[in-house]
Structure formats: C-alpha cells, structure tokens
Amino acid sequence: MAIEGFDYKEFAQLMSSQAGELIPKEFNDMQRNYVVKTLSNFTLLAGEAIANDESLGFNADQAIFVTQIIAEWAFHKSIDLVHSGIMPEHWDGIMQKIAFTIFEVAKQAIKKNVPQDQILQLIEHHVNKSFKDAIDNLEKRGVITAEISQKAMSQSNIDDMAAQAAQAEAEQKAAMEAAAAEQQANQPTAGDSQALPAAAPVSVPAGPLDKSLKLMSVALVLKILPEDRVEAILDKFAPQDVETIRNYMKVENLEAGLDINYTLKCLESIKEFLPRRKTPSQESILRQLNKIFDQHPMEDIEKLFKSERPFLKRFISKAYEGDYYPIPVKVAQIVVQYVRDSV
C-alpha cells in the first residue's frame, strides 16, 4: 500500500536532477553517469522498499527522511570512490554495503523513536565505518595497495562541498555588496576630491577600461573583504599589480576619484577573479535564516509554520539551533524566501 504524500519515483527524479548539477566538473562521462545512476538506483530501491513494507508504518515525512539520507550519502560516497583510485569494478559492492547500512540503521532508529538529529549522527558513524571496513577488506585481499587504501579513506566530498560553498558564498556576497555600494555612491564634491591624500594621488585614466582603472576597481572591492579573502584574490594577480592594488587600497575615499559607470565596467571585465556561486548550499541557507532570526522574534516565525508539515517545522527549529535539517536545498531556499516575504 502506497504512503500518502510519498511518491518515491518523483522524489528519486528530483534528487537525481539535483545531483547532476553538483557533480565535479572534472569528471568524465563515465564517472558522471555512475554517480547519477547510483544515486537514482539506491533512491528508487529504498523508496520502493519503504512504500511496500506496511510493517514499517512510516508516514510520508519519515519515508522522505530515510530516502533522502540514502540519496545524499550515495552521492557523496560515490564521488569519494571516483576520487579514491579504486577500480570501478569494486565500486558497486562498496556502495551496496553503505546503502544497506543506512537503511537498516534509519529503520531501526525510527522504530525506537530516536530523535532525527541523533539518527543523522548514527548514520554518519556507520557510513564511515562501512566505508572503512570495505576499503580494509580490499586491501587485505590484495585488491588495492596500502597507498590507495589511505587515499580512499582521506576522501570526504561532503566536507569538501561544505567548505567550497562557504567560501563561494562569502566571496559572492562581498562582490555583490561592493557593486551595490558603488551604484549608490554619491557624486564626488570638491571637498571629497581634496580628501585624497597628496602622497598617493589618483586620477581617472583616459580609457574606460585602462589597466589602472581596473586595478582601482579591484581595490574598491577588496577594501570591504576579510583579510584572508583579500590575499586569496590577490594571489591571482601578477606581483607588480598586487603592489599597485595595495597602494590603491590605502587611499581614503578612493571612490571619489573614479567614475561609477567606468568602475562597474571594469568590475565586469575582471569578474573571472571573483568566484560565482551557482547553487544554494546548506551553509548559505543557514546564514540567510540567521539574518531573519536576528531581525524577527522566533515566535512570529513559528506562527507561519503552525499548520505546516512536521518536517518543515523541524527544519526551522533546527536552523534556529544552528543545524541543517536534511531537506533538498532547493526546497529550503523556497522556505527561506517564504519566511523572508511573510515576516
């Protein structure tokens, strides 16, 4: 008997489409197809097993919870296997053990009414243990070397994605804020022009995309970034340009000596130096919600979800505690926009 509100085929398709957008760009077609196919197959199998097993007694939220965990771990660990150096003929065996472990741990934990945050911790522990046991077994059988075993165990796509997303989010936000600030800048007055220090005079170059103007525009952006991000971006420039940019950054009221339209054109021409974030991440979702929590009482936000499904209430509650309740990030982004527009 099907579970009302749980269409496992549609859910598997949703997870597969999301996975396709997040696979590392350096993967070849075989590797990409393996990741998507593995996620899709395990999601379908888990969803079908849950939907057809009346003894489990799962509701739609519980079914989605278990199926999504399997999908996400299938995605991350299959990518780890591609990076591991282990031959492809051994990947399926490892992934099957991981999927079975997740299913059993989640099933038993839900039956015992274990809180979902604890279930996630249990699953992570057992996934890592299953992965390690499978790698150790291959090494003991002489299928892989100790070096490959060590390389495989050092892989963690879930951590890599979290770090990359946090970095990209910070840099994208800084670039957007810089552009917005420049667009709103007032036209310079005579007093503003005189505020430029005599020791570091700045004049607007004749050409709208002159190199000096480009470097000044970069300096405007870097002045608002944290020091570690400044250094990371400066590493992309030639040493002589770095020194010039640093000097411009020391100039007070630098924007007074620049034409805003020219500056924006220059920023556009050097945008390759500023990473662009293409998809939302769990970290960015939490940051957006934290801003909302800082501006509005939690009681007002909870009222919005009074009649919503339990997993949405749980998502908001966990976000308030600083944790990400596992729902698809695209769904989470819709929830964030709903909260932002409603409070």
Side-chain angles (χ1 to χ4, degrees):
M1 181 179 178
I3 299 175
E4 183 178 357
F6 176 57
D7 184 339
Y8 66 88
K9 293 181 181 179
E10 181 180 350
F11 187 75
Q13 179 61 41
L14 171 64
M15 299 302 290
S16 296
S17 63
Q18 289 188 8
E21 300 172 359
L22 299 174
I23 294 174
K25 293 181 179 179
E26 70 271 16
F27 278 19
N28 59 37
D29 289 343
M30 183 279 288
Q31 294 166 336
R32 291 179 61 86
N33 290 337
Y34 179 79
V35 173
V36 174
K37 182 179 178 181
T38 298
L39 180 149
S40 179
N41 287 344
F42 286 154
T43 306
L44 281 171
L45 288 172
E48 184 178 16
I50 293 171
N52 294 334
D53 190 345
E54 295 184 12
S55 66
L56 293 176
F58 284 180
N59 59 34
D61 291 338
Q62 292 169 326
I64 291 173
F65 175 69
V66 176
T67 308
Q68 181 173 337
I69 292 173
I70 290 176
E72 292 184 349
W73 277 112
F75 174 78
H76 292 301
K77 299 315 289 184
S78 59
I79 288 179
D80 288 347
L81 283 174
V82 173
H83 284 143
S84 70
I86 297 173
M87 295 300 291
E89 56 263 31
H90 303 295
W91 294 351
D92 281 347
I94 297 173
M95 292 305 304
Q96 288 167 5
K97 293 177 181 177
I98 290 174
F100 177 78
T101 297
I102 295 173
F103 188 81
E104 290 301 314
V105 171
K107 183 173 65 176
Q108 295 303 322
I110 290 176
K111 284 184 176 181
K112 296 178 181 178
N113 295 317
V114 177
Q116 287 190 352
D117 54 346
Q118 294 183 28
I119 295 178
L120 293 175
Q121 294 175 9
L122 279 171
I123 288 174
E124 182 175 5
H125 169 76
H126 284 285
V127 165
N128 291 333
K129 184 177 185 301
S130 295
F131 191 72
K132 182 178 185 304
D133 290 346
I135 301 301
D136 288 343
N137 181 261
L138 290 177
E139 182 181 355
K140 290 177 182 178
R141 289 163 46 202
V143 176
I144 60 175
T145 64
E147 289 75 16
I148 292 180
S149 175
Q150 184 176 5
K151 180 181 178 181
M153 287 306 304
S154 69
Q155 303 300 320
S156 181
N157 184 68
I158 191 171
D159 292 336
D160 293 343
M161 284 188 66
Q164 292 167 7
Q167 175 179 325
E169 173 71 12
E171 293 176 349
Q172 176 71 354
K173 178 182 177 182
M176 291 176 65
E177 289 178 347
E182 287 304 300
Q183 286 179 315
Q184 296 174 2
N186 294 323
Q187 291 296 326
T189 63
D192 292 330
S193 299
Q194 295 172 0
L196 294 174
V202 177
S203 60
V204 179
L209 295 183
D210 182 277
K211 182 177 180 180
S212 296
L213 183 52
K214 288 185 180 182
L215 298 183
M216 287 185 227
S217 301
V218 173
L220 281 174
V221 174
L222 298 188
K223 286 176 73 172
I224 67 170
L225 292 180
E227 185 175 351
D228 59 334
R229 302 313 318 140
V230 169
E231 296 302 321
I233 293 177
L234 286 178
D235 284 343
K236 300 177 183 293
F237 290 85
Q240 62 271 24
D241 292 338
V242 171
E243 185 62 27
T244 301
I245 292 172
R246 290 190 186 280
N247 287 335
Y248 285 140
M249 291 174 66
K250 297 175 183 178
V251 176
E252 295 182 4
N253 202 20
L254 175 62
E255 63 273 15
L258 297 173
D259 180 275
I260 180 59
N261 293 323
Y262 286 173
T263 300
L264 292 175
K265 289 180 181 179
C266 289
L267 289 174
E268 178 67 19
S269 72
I270 61 169
K271 63 183 179 181
E272 63 269 20
F273 295 110
L274 298 173
R276 291 174 291 178
R277 182 172 170 271
K278 296 182 178 180
T279 57
S281 67
Q282 294 182 1
E283 289 74 21
S284 69
I285 294 294
L286 289 178
R287 277 194 289 273
Q288 293 177 66
L289 285 173
N290 282 336
K291 288 183 179 179
I292 297 174
F293 295 149
D294 289 341
Q295 297 170 359
H296 302 278
M298 188 58 181
E299 293 79 6
D300 293 346
I301 298 173
E302 288 177 334
K303 289 178 182 178
L304 297 175
F305 293 86
K306 185 176 182 180
S307 302
E308 292 291 346
R309 287 169 290 179
F311 82 93
L312 288 178
K313 295 179 182 178
R314 185 67 172 170
F315 169 72
I316 292 296
S317 175
K318 295 301 295 182
Y320 187 72
E321 296 172 1
D323 297 324
Y324 187 89
Y325 182 77
I327 66 174
V329 288
K330 289 185 177 180
V331 176
Q333 186 63 62
I334 294 173
V335 175
V336 171
Q337 190 60 49
Y338 166 71
V339 175
R340 184 182 291 122
D341 294 341
S342 302
V343 293

